[in-house]
Amino acid sequence: MKALRIIAGERARKHIAQHGLSPFDVQAIPGAAGGPKGLILQGLDHFLFGQWFNAAHLEQRAASGTKPLQLLGASIGAWRMAAAASSEPVEALKRLAWQYCEAQRYGKQVNRHQITEVCHSMVQQLVADQAHSMSLPQHKQLFVWVNRGLSPLHHAQQQRERKRGFAAAVLANSINRNHLSRYFERWIFHSPGAATAWLDQPFDAIPTHRAELHPLNIRDALLASGSIPFVLNPVQHIVKAMPDDAHTVQHHEGPFWDGGLTDYHLALPYHRLDGLVLYPHFASTVTPGWLDKFLKLRKARPDWMSNVVLLCPTDEFVNSLPAKKIPDRSDFKRYGLDHDQRIAHWNAAIAESHRLADEFANWLEQPRL
Protein backbone atom coordinates (compact mmCIF):
# COMPACT_ATOMS: atom_id res chain seq x y z
CA MET A 1 0.00 0.00 0.00
CA LYS A 2 1.30 3.43 -0.94
CA ALA A 3 -0.88 5.68 1.21
CA LEU A 4 -1.84 3.63 4.27
CA ARG A 5 0.35 1.99 6.88
CA ILE A 6 -1.16 -0.57 9.29
CA ILE A 7 0.55 -1.28 12.60
CA ALA A 8 -0.91 -4.00 14.83
CA GLY A 9 -0.12 -5.13 18.35
CA GLU A 10 0.68 -8.77 19.08
CA ARG A 11 -2.84 -9.77 20.13
CA ALA A 12 -4.37 -7.97 17.17
CA ARG A 13 -1.92 -9.59 14.74
CA LYS A 14 -2.80 -13.06 15.96
CA HIS A 15 -6.50 -12.37 15.65
CA ILE A 16 -6.20 -10.98 12.12
CA ALA A 17 -3.99 -13.87 11.02
CA GLN A 18 -6.61 -16.36 12.19
CA HIS A 19 -9.90 -14.56 11.52
CA GLY A 20 -9.27 -11.49 9.38
CA LEU A 21 -10.84 -8.24 10.57
CA SER A 22 -14.59 -7.70 10.94
CA PRO A 23 -16.40 -4.65 12.33
CA PHE A 24 -17.80 -7.01 15.00
CA ASP A 25 -14.22 -7.49 16.26
CA VAL A 26 -13.80 -3.79 17.06
CA GLN A 27 -14.82 -2.55 20.49
CA ALA A 28 -13.32 0.95 20.55
CA ILE A 29 -12.12 3.71 18.23
CA PRO A 30 -9.90 6.49 19.66
CA GLY A 31 -9.60 9.99 18.23
CA ALA A 32 -6.38 11.83 19.11
CA ALA A 33 -5.96 15.51 19.86
CA GLY A 34 -3.95 17.40 17.26
CA GLY A 35 -5.95 20.27 15.80
CA PRO A 36 -5.90 20.43 11.99
CA LYS A 37 -4.05 17.09 11.81
CA GLY A 38 -7.41 15.41 12.33
CA LEU A 39 -8.52 16.61 8.87
CA ILE A 40 -6.31 13.99 7.23
CA LEU A 41 -8.57 11.29 8.71
CA GLN A 42 -11.75 12.50 7.02
CA GLY A 43 -11.62 9.81 4.33
CA LEU A 44 -11.18 6.99 6.86
CA ASP A 45 -13.88 8.48 9.09
CA HIS A 46 -16.36 8.60 6.19
CA PHE A 47 -15.67 4.97 5.32
CA LEU A 48 -15.75 3.69 8.89
CA PHE A 49 -18.83 5.47 10.14
CA GLY A 50 -20.71 5.74 6.87
CA GLN A 51 -20.11 2.21 5.58
CA TRP A 52 -18.28 -0.22 7.87
CA PHE A 53 -20.12 0.76 11.07
CA ASN A 54 -23.31 1.79 9.28
CA ALA A 55 -26.79 1.70 10.81
CA ALA A 56 -27.47 -1.85 9.61
CA HIS A 57 -24.25 -3.12 11.21
CA LEU A 58 -25.04 -1.36 14.48
CA GLU A 59 -28.49 -3.00 14.55
CA GLN A 60 -26.93 -6.41 13.91
CA ARG A 61 -24.36 -5.69 16.57
CA ALA A 62 -27.06 -5.02 19.14
CA ALA A 63 -29.16 -8.02 18.07
CA SER A 64 -26.16 -10.36 18.35
CA GLY A 65 -25.23 -9.13 21.82
CA THR A 66 -21.95 -7.60 20.64
CA LYS A 67 -20.80 -4.80 22.90
CA PRO A 68 -21.60 -1.24 21.72
CA LEU A 69 -18.92 0.60 19.80
CA GLN A 70 -17.01 2.97 22.07
CA LEU A 71 -15.88 6.26 20.53
CA LEU A 72 -13.13 7.96 22.55
CA GLY A 73 -11.87 11.45 21.78
CA ALA A 74 -9.82 14.38 23.02
CA SER A 75 -9.87 17.86 21.46
CA ILE A 76 -10.35 17.55 17.66
CA GLY A 77 -10.61 13.80 18.23
CA ALA A 78 -13.60 14.42 20.51
CA TRP A 79 -15.21 16.58 17.82
CA ARG A 80 -14.66 13.82 15.26
CA MET A 81 -16.04 11.13 17.56
CA ALA A 82 -19.06 13.26 18.45
CA ALA A 83 -19.80 13.58 14.73
CA ALA A 84 -19.37 9.81 14.38
CA ALA A 85 -21.75 9.22 17.30
CA SER A 86 -24.55 11.21 15.68
CA SER A 87 -27.41 9.72 13.71
CA GLU A 88 -25.96 11.29 10.54
CA PRO A 89 -22.21 10.71 10.93
CA VAL A 90 -21.01 11.48 7.41
CA GLU A 91 -22.99 14.73 7.22
CA ALA A 92 -21.70 15.75 10.66
CA LEU A 93 -18.11 14.92 9.68
CA LYS A 94 -18.44 16.99 6.50
CA ARG A 95 -19.88 19.85 8.54
CA LEU A 96 -16.96 19.64 10.95
CA ALA A 97 -14.35 19.71 8.18
CA TRP A 98 -16.02 22.64 6.42
CA GLN A 99 -16.30 24.63 9.64
CA TYR A 100 -12.74 23.85 10.69
CA CYS A 101 -11.36 25.06 7.37
CA GLU A 102 -13.62 28.00 6.56
CA ALA A 103 -14.57 29.50 9.93
CA GLN A 104 -11.04 30.11 11.15
CA ARG A 105 -10.28 33.27 9.18
CA TYR A 106 -8.47 35.19 11.89
CA GLY A 107 -7.15 38.72 11.61
CA LYS A 108 -3.58 39.80 12.28
CA GLN A 109 -4.21 40.88 15.89
CA VAL A 110 -6.38 37.92 16.85
CA ASN A 111 -6.59 37.11 20.56
CA ARG A 112 -7.80 34.16 22.60
CA HIS A 113 -11.21 35.76 23.19
CA GLN A 114 -11.86 35.95 19.45
CA ILE A 115 -10.59 32.40 18.88
CA THR A 116 -12.83 31.18 21.70
CA GLU A 117 -15.82 32.86 20.07
CA VAL A 118 -15.03 31.24 16.70
CA CYS A 119 -14.55 27.79 18.25
CA HIS A 120 -17.78 28.17 20.22
CA SER A 121 -19.58 28.86 16.94
CA MET A 122 -17.84 25.89 15.29
CA VAL A 123 -19.05 23.54 18.04
CA GLN A 124 -22.57 24.96 17.75
CA GLN A 125 -22.53 24.27 14.01
CA LEU A 126 -21.04 20.81 14.51
CA VAL A 127 -23.70 19.75 16.99
CA ALA A 128 -26.54 21.57 15.20
CA ASP A 129 -29.70 19.52 15.81
CA GLN A 130 -27.75 16.39 16.80
CA ALA A 131 -27.24 17.11 20.52
CA HIS A 132 -29.51 14.23 21.53
CA SER A 133 -28.03 11.66 19.14
CA MET A 134 -24.45 12.66 20.03
CA SER A 135 -24.89 12.51 23.79
CA LEU A 136 -27.28 9.52 23.73
CA PRO A 137 -26.17 7.62 20.61
CA GLN A 138 -27.83 4.45 19.35
CA HIS A 139 -25.64 1.34 19.77
CA LYS A 140 -22.58 3.58 20.25
CA GLN A 141 -21.02 5.16 23.32
CA LEU A 142 -19.24 8.52 23.25
CA PHE A 143 -16.38 9.44 25.61
CA VAL A 144 -15.11 13.04 25.68
CA TRP A 145 -11.79 13.79 27.42
CA VAL A 146 -11.46 17.08 29.33
CA ASN A 147 -9.00 18.41 31.93
CA ARG A 148 -9.84 20.45 34.99
CA GLY A 149 -7.08 22.75 36.20
CA LEU A 150 -6.03 22.50 39.83
CA SER A 151 -4.43 25.32 41.83
CA PRO A 152 -2.84 27.57 40.62
CA LEU A 153 -4.35 26.80 37.20
CA HIS A 154 -7.88 27.41 38.44
CA HIS A 155 -7.36 31.19 38.68
CA ALA A 156 -9.04 31.81 35.32
CA GLN A 157 -8.60 35.58 35.35
CA GLN A 158 -5.04 35.68 36.69
CA GLN A 159 -3.09 35.16 33.50
CA ARG A 160 0.35 35.64 35.04
CA GLU A 161 -0.29 33.08 37.78
CA ARG A 162 -1.69 30.65 35.24
CA LYS A 163 1.42 30.94 33.08
CA ARG A 164 3.56 30.16 36.10
CA GLY A 165 1.35 27.19 36.86
CA PHE A 166 1.65 25.77 33.35
CA ALA A 167 5.41 26.34 33.34
CA ALA A 168 5.62 24.38 36.58
CA ALA A 169 3.47 21.61 35.04
CA VAL A 170 5.82 21.38 32.04
CA LEU A 171 8.83 21.00 34.32
CA ALA A 172 7.10 18.47 36.57
CA ASN A 173 5.99 16.38 33.58
CA SER A 174 9.53 16.30 32.20
CA ILE A 175 10.61 14.57 35.41
CA ASN A 176 7.69 12.16 35.71
CA ARG A 177 4.33 12.13 33.93
CA ASN A 178 2.56 11.22 37.18
CA HIS A 179 3.54 14.62 38.61
CA LEU A 180 0.76 16.11 36.44
CA SER A 181 -1.60 14.93 39.20
CA ARG A 182 -0.70 18.15 41.05
CA TYR A 183 -1.96 20.31 38.20
CA PHE A 184 -4.81 18.51 36.43
CA GLU A 185 -7.78 16.26 36.95
CA ARG A 186 -8.86 14.08 34.06
CA TRP A 187 -12.61 14.31 33.39
CA ILE A 188 -14.32 11.83 31.09
CA PHE A 189 -17.78 12.85 29.93
CA HIS A 190 -19.54 9.77 28.57
CA SER A 191 -22.88 8.57 27.28
CA PRO A 192 -25.26 7.44 30.04
CA GLY A 193 -24.88 3.74 30.73
CA ALA A 194 -21.52 3.49 28.92
CA ALA A 195 -19.29 0.57 29.88
CA THR A 196 -16.53 2.26 31.86
CA ALA A 197 -15.15 -0.62 33.95
CA TRP A 198 -11.89 -0.71 31.96
CA LEU A 199 -11.28 2.94 32.86
CA ASP A 200 -12.47 2.81 36.48
CA GLN A 201 -9.35 1.11 37.80
CA PRO A 202 -6.53 3.73 38.00
CA PHE A 203 -3.90 3.49 35.28
CA ASP A 204 -1.78 6.48 36.30
CA ALA A 205 -1.59 8.97 39.17
CA ILE A 206 -3.77 11.64 37.53
CA PRO A 207 -7.11 11.91 39.38
CA THR A 208 -9.91 10.75 37.08
CA HIS A 209 -13.57 11.74 37.30
CA ARG A 210 -16.46 10.53 35.19
CA ALA A 211 -19.59 12.49 34.33
CA GLU A 212 -22.52 11.79 32.05
CA LEU A 213 -23.13 13.55 28.78
CA HIS A 214 -26.49 15.19 28.17
CA PRO A 215 -28.00 17.21 25.30
CA LEU A 216 -27.56 20.28 27.51
CA ASN A 217 -23.83 19.80 28.16
CA ILE A 218 -22.50 18.18 24.96
CA ARG A 219 -21.53 21.54 23.46
CA ASP A 220 -19.64 22.78 26.51
CA ALA A 221 -17.91 19.41 26.96
CA LEU A 222 -16.72 19.48 23.35
CA LEU A 223 -15.59 23.11 23.56
CA ALA A 224 -13.71 22.37 26.80
CA SER A 225 -12.05 19.33 25.22
CA GLY A 226 -10.51 21.62 22.58
CA SER A 227 -9.70 24.63 24.78
CA ILE A 228 -5.93 24.91 24.39
CA PRO A 229 -4.40 26.99 27.20
CA PHE A 230 -3.44 30.54 26.16
CA VAL A 231 -5.05 29.96 22.74
CA LEU A 232 -8.63 29.71 24.01
CA ASN A 233 -10.29 30.65 27.27
CA PRO A 234 -11.17 27.77 29.60
CA VAL A 235 -14.77 26.65 29.98
CA GLN A 236 -15.78 27.70 33.49
CA HIS A 237 -18.85 25.50 34.02
CA ILE A 238 -20.32 22.40 32.41
CA VAL A 239 -23.96 21.57 33.11
CA LYS A 240 -24.54 18.34 35.01
CA ALA A 241 -26.65 15.65 33.36
CA MET A 242 -30.06 15.61 35.03
CA PRO A 243 -33.48 14.04 34.62
CA ASP A 244 -35.98 15.75 32.36
CA ASP A 245 -38.20 16.73 35.30
CA ALA A 246 -35.38 18.48 37.21
CA HIS A 247 -36.32 21.99 38.39
CA THR A 248 -32.82 23.40 38.89
CA VAL A 249 -29.66 23.39 36.82
CA GLN A 250 -26.43 22.33 38.48
CA HIS A 251 -22.90 22.61 37.13
CA HIS A 252 -19.51 20.96 37.28
CA GLU A 253 -17.12 23.74 38.26
CA GLY A 254 -14.04 24.37 36.13
CA PRO A 255 -11.87 25.74 34.72
CA PHE A 256 -11.92 23.02 32.07
CA TRP A 257 -9.15 22.75 29.47
CA ASP A 258 -8.10 20.71 26.47
CA GLY A 259 -8.39 16.95 26.98
CA GLY A 260 -5.11 16.43 25.15
CA LEU A 261 -3.03 18.03 27.93
CA THR A 262 -2.96 14.74 29.83
CA ASP A 263 -4.14 12.39 27.06
CA TYR A 264 -2.85 13.75 23.76
CA HIS A 265 -3.10 10.54 21.72
CA LEU A 266 -5.18 8.61 24.28
CA ALA A 267 -2.49 6.10 25.27
CA LEU A 268 -4.93 4.15 27.42
CA PRO A 269 -4.97 0.60 28.90
CA TYR A 270 -6.72 -0.87 25.86
CA HIS A 271 -5.49 -4.35 26.81
CA ARG A 272 -8.29 -4.40 29.40
CA LEU A 273 -10.89 -4.53 26.60
CA ASP A 274 -12.10 -7.87 25.26
CA GLY A 275 -12.23 -6.73 21.64
CA LEU A 276 -9.88 -4.96 19.26
CA VAL A 277 -9.22 -1.23 19.09
CA LEU A 278 -9.18 0.33 15.62
CA TYR A 279 -7.20 3.54 15.72
CA PRO A 280 -7.22 5.91 12.70
CA HIS A 281 -4.28 8.18 13.47
CA PHE A 282 -2.24 10.88 11.76
CA ALA A 283 1.05 9.55 13.23
CA SER A 284 2.77 6.19 13.47
CA THR A 285 3.39 6.61 17.22
CA VAL A 286 1.07 7.19 20.16
CA THR A 287 2.19 9.91 22.60
CA PRO A 288 0.59 9.92 26.08
CA GLY A 289 0.22 13.66 26.84
CA TRP A 290 0.55 16.92 24.92
CA LEU A 291 3.57 17.86 27.00
CA ASP A 292 5.15 14.51 26.14
CA LYS A 293 5.47 15.36 22.46
CA PHE A 294 8.65 17.22 23.40
CA LEU A 295 9.99 14.03 25.04
CA LYS A 296 10.78 11.69 22.15
CA LEU A 297 11.21 8.59 24.30
CA ARG A 298 7.87 8.87 26.08
CA LYS A 299 5.42 6.75 24.08
CA ALA A 300 2.48 4.46 24.78
CA ARG A 301 3.20 1.26 26.69
CA PRO A 302 3.43 -1.65 24.19
CA ASP A 303 1.53 -4.02 26.49
CA TRP A 304 -1.42 -1.59 26.57
CA MET A 305 -1.44 -1.53 22.75
CA SER A 306 -1.43 -5.29 22.17
CA ASN A 307 -5.01 -5.32 20.79
CA VAL A 308 -4.69 -2.08 18.77
CA VAL A 309 -4.75 -1.81 14.98
CA LEU A 310 -3.28 1.57 14.04
CA LEU A 311 -4.12 3.09 10.64
CA CYS A 312 -1.81 5.94 9.66
CA PRO A 313 -0.46 7.66 6.53
CA THR A 314 2.82 6.55 4.98
CA ASP A 315 5.70 8.97 4.46
CA GLU A 316 5.10 8.65 0.72
CA PHE A 317 1.51 9.79 1.15
CA VAL A 318 2.49 12.73 3.38
CA ASN A 319 5.13 13.86 0.87
CA SER A 320 2.47 13.95 -1.85
CA LEU A 321 0.40 16.53 0.05
CA PRO A 322 0.66 20.31 -0.42
CA ALA A 323 3.74 21.56 1.46
CA LYS A 324 4.65 17.86 1.91
CA LYS A 325 2.98 17.75 5.32
CA ILE A 326 -0.27 17.03 7.10
CA PRO A 327 -2.23 20.20 8.01
CA ASP A 328 -1.30 21.50 11.46
CA ARG A 329 -1.59 24.62 13.60
CA SER A 330 1.68 26.03 12.23
CA ASP A 331 -0.24 26.67 8.98
CA PHE A 332 -1.96 29.68 10.55
CA LYS A 333 1.48 31.30 10.79
CA ARG A 334 2.75 29.79 7.52
CA TYR A 335 -0.08 31.24 5.41
CA GLY A 336 -0.77 34.31 7.54
CA LEU A 337 -3.72 36.27 6.19
CA ASP A 338 -3.78 34.26 2.95
CA HIS A 339 -6.70 32.19 4.21
CA ASP A 340 -7.76 31.09 0.74
CA GLN A 341 -4.39 29.41 0.10
CA ARG A 342 -4.43 27.67 3.48
CA ILE A 343 -8.00 26.47 2.97
CA ALA A 344 -7.19 25.25 -0.54
CA HIS A 345 -4.27 23.18 0.78
CA TRP A 346 -6.35 21.82 3.65
CA ASN A 347 -9.17 20.85 1.29
CA ALA A 348 -6.65 19.18 -1.02
CA ALA A 349 -5.40 17.12 1.94
CA ILE A 350 -8.99 16.15 2.80
CA ALA A 351 -9.59 15.05 -0.79
CA GLU A 352 -6.40 12.97 -0.75
CA SER A 353 -7.42 11.38 2.56
CA HIS A 354 -9.94 9.22 0.73
CA ARG A 355 -6.99 7.28 -0.68
CA LEU A 356 -6.40 6.00 2.86
CA ALA A 357 -9.98 4.74 3.02
CA ASP A 358 -9.76 3.08 -0.41
CA GLU A 359 -6.61 1.19 0.55
CA PHE A 360 -8.09 0.11 3.88
CA ALA A 361 -11.26 -1.15 2.16
CA ASN A 362 -9.13 -3.15 -0.30
CA TRP A 363 -6.96 -4.52 2.49
CA LEU A 364 -10.03 -5.76 4.40
CA GLU A 365 -10.84 -8.13 1.53
CA GLN A 366 -7.57 -9.99 2.17
CA PRO A 367 -5.85 -8.69 5.33
CA ARG A 368 -2.08 -9.11 5.30
CA LEU A 369 0.34 -7.98 7.97
mmCIF file of all heavy atoms in Angstrom, residues 63 75 77 115 124 150 157 192 217 234 268 291 313 320 348 358:
data_model
loop_
_atom_site.group_PDB
_atom_site.id
_atom_site.type_symbol
_atom_site.label_atom_id
_atom_site.label_comp_id
_atom_site.label_asym_id
_atom_site.label_seq_id
_atom_site.Cartn_x
_atom_site.Cartn_y
_atom_site.Cartn_z
ATOM 1 N N ALA A 63 -28.360 -6.790 18.086
ATOM 2 C CA ALA A 63 -29.159 -8.022 18.066
ATOM 3 C C ALA A 63 -28.328 -9.245 18.439
ATOM 4 O O ALA A 63 -28.838 -10.200 19.041
ATOM 5 C CB ALA A 63 -29.785 -8.206 16.690
ATOM 6 N N SER A 75 -10.059 16.694 22.312
ATOM 7 C CA SER A 75 -9.867 17.856 21.455
ATOM 8 C C SER A 75 -10.507 17.619 20.076
ATOM 9 O O SER A 75 -11.669 17.240 20.001
ATOM 10 C CB SER A 75 -8.372 18.181 21.359
ATOM 11 O OG SER A 75 -8.157 19.488 20.888
ATOM 12 N N GLY A 77 -10.166 15.193 18.235
ATOM 13 C CA GLY A 77 -10.612 13.803 18.231
ATOM 14 C C GLY A 77 -11.981 13.655 18.856
ATOM 15 O O GLY A 77 -12.794 12.839 18.413
ATOM 16 N N ILE A 115 -10.701 33.810 19.269
ATOM 17 C CA ILE A 115 -10.589 32.404 18.879
ATOM 18 C C ILE A 115 -11.628 31.570 19.632
ATOM 19 O O ILE A 115 -12.256 30.669 19.063
ATOM 20 C CB ILE A 115 -9.168 31.881 19.135
ATOM 21 C CG1 ILE A 115 -8.158 32.642 18.268
ATOM 22 C CG2 ILE A 115 -9.079 30.381 18.853
ATOM 23 C CD1 ILE A 115 -6.711 32.285 18.549
ATOM 24 N N GLN A 124 -21.122 24.816 17.936
ATOM 25 C CA GLN A 124 -22.566 24.959 17.750
ATOM 26 C C GLN A 124 -22.986 24.420 16.388
ATOM 27 O O GLN A 124 -23.999 23.710 16.261
ATOM 28 C CB GLN A 124 -22.962 26.430 17.864
ATOM 29 C CG GLN A 124 -22.810 27.031 19.241
ATOM 30 C CD GLN A 124 -23.904 26.608 20.201
ATOM 31 O OE1 GLN A 124 -23.925 25.477 20.671
ATOM 32 N NE2 GLN A 124 -24.823 27.506 20.490
ATOM 33 N N LEU A 150 -6.123 22.371 38.385
ATOM 34 C CA LEU A 150 -6.034 22.498 39.829
ATOM 35 C C LEU A 150 -5.224 23.751 40.174
ATOM 36 O O LEU A 150 -4.645 24.397 39.298
ATOM 37 C CB LEU A 150 -5.367 21.257 40.415
ATOM 38 C CG LEU A 150 -6.080 19.917 40.119
ATOM 39 C CD1 LEU A 150 -5.287 18.756 40.700
ATOM 40 C CD2 LEU A 150 -7.501 19.923 40.659
ATOM 41 N N GLN A 157 -8.810 34.203 35.776
ATOM 42 C CA GLN A 157 -8.598 35.581 35.354
ATOM 43 C C GLN A 157 -7.177 36.068 35.646
ATOM 44 O O GLN A 157 -6.814 37.170 35.261
ATOM 45 C CB GLN A 157 -9.619 36.499 36.052
ATOM 46 C CG GLN A 157 -11.074 36.105 35.806
ATOM 47 C CD GLN A 157 -11.413 36.013 34.329
ATOM 48 O OE1 GLN A 157 -10.978 36.854 33.539
ATOM 49 N NE2 GLN A 157 -12.193 35.007 33.961
ATOM 50 N N PRO A 192 -24.658 8.148 28.906
ATOM 51 C CA PRO A 192 -25.257 7.444 30.044
ATOM 52 C C PRO A 192 -25.264 5.933 29.809
ATOM 53 O O PRO A 192 -25.593 5.468 28.724
ATOM 54 C CB PRO A 192 -26.684 7.999 30.088
ATOM 55 C CG PRO A 192 -26.581 9.340 29.441
ATOM 56 C CD PRO A 192 -25.546 9.186 28.364
ATOM 57 N N ASN A 217 -25.239 19.514 27.865
ATOM 58 C CA ASN A 217 -23.830 19.795 28.160
ATOM 59 C C ASN A 217 -22.870 19.325 27.070
ATOM 60 O O ASN A 217 -21.658 19.539 27.183
ATOM 61 C CB ASN A 217 -23.421 19.198 29.515
ATOM 62 C CG ASN A 217 -23.392 17.670 29.540
ATOM 63 O OD1 ASN A 217 -23.343 17.013 28.506
ATOM 64 N ND2 ASN A 217 -23.411 17.114 30.747
ATOM 65 N N PRO A 234 -10.605 29.009 29.064
ATOM 66 C CA PRO A 234 -11.169 27.774 29.603
ATOM 67 C C PRO A 234 -12.693 27.859 29.668
ATOM 68 O O PRO A 234 -13.268 28.948 29.638
ATOM 69 C CB PRO A 234 -10.566 27.706 31.005
ATOM 70 C CG PRO A 234 -10.326 29.130 31.381
ATOM 71 C CD PRO A 234 -9.933 29.817 30.101
ATOM 72 N N LEU A 268 -4.130 4.695 26.329
ATOM 73 C CA LEU A 268 -4.933 4.151 27.423
ATOM 74 C C LEU A 268 -4.697 2.649 27.577
ATOM 75 O O LEU A 268 -4.139 2.004 26.672
ATOM 76 C CB LEU A 268 -6.414 4.427 27.147
ATOM 77 C CG LEU A 268 -6.776 5.898 26.919
ATOM 78 C CD1 LEU A 268 -8.240 6.023 26.507
ATOM 79 C CD2 LEU A 268 -6.485 6.733 28.154
ATOM 80 N N LEU A 291 2.244 17.434 26.569
ATOM 81 C CA LEU A 291 3.572 17.859 27.003
ATOM 82 C C LEU A 291 4.632 16.809 26.689
ATOM 83 O O LEU A 291 5.826 17.116 26.656
ATOM 84 C CB LEU A 291 3.561 18.158 28.504
ATOM 85 C CG LEU A 291 2.602 19.269 28.955
ATOM 86 C CD1 LEU A 291 2.640 19.413 30.470
ATOM 87 C CD2 LEU A 291 2.940 20.593 28.290
ATOM 88 N N PRO A 313 -1.012 7.389 7.864
ATOM 89 C CA PRO A 313 -0.460 7.661 6.531
ATOM 90 C C PRO A 313 1.009 7.247 6.429
ATOM 91 O O PRO A 313 1.758 7.324 7.399
ATOM 92 C CB PRO A 313 -0.602 9.186 6.391
ATOM 93 C CG PRO A 313 -1.486 9.625 7.500
ATOM 94 C CD PRO A 313 -1.333 8.628 8.593
ATOM 95 N N SER A 320 3.257 13.602 -0.665
ATOM 96 C CA SER A 320 2.466 13.945 -1.851
ATOM 97 C C SER A 320 1.485 15.081 -1.581
ATOM 98 O O SER A 320 0.858 15.605 -2.506
ATOM 99 C CB SER A 320 1.687 12.714 -2.326
ATOM 100 O OG SER A 320 0.614 12.398 -1.443
ATOM 101 N N ALA A 348 -7.363 20.158 -0.184
ATOM 102 C CA ALA A 348 -6.650 19.181 -1.021
ATOM 103 C C ALA A 348 -6.233 17.978 -0.185
ATOM 104 O O ALA A 348 -6.311 16.829 -0.637
ATOM 105 C CB ALA A 348 -5.426 19.840 -1.663
ATOM 106 N N ASP A 358 -9.708 4.050 0.705
ATOM 107 C CA ASP A 358 -9.755 3.084 -0.406
ATOM 108 C C ASP A 358 -8.788 1.935 -0.152
ATOM 109 O O ASP A 358 -9.134 0.763 -0.379
ATOM 110 C CB ASP A 358 -9.409 3.783 -1.725
ATOM 111 C CG ASP A 358 -10.477 4.777 -2.154
ATOM 112 O OD1 ASP A 358 -11.613 4.683 -1.662
ATOM 113 O OD2 ASP A 358 -10.168 5.647 -2.988
#
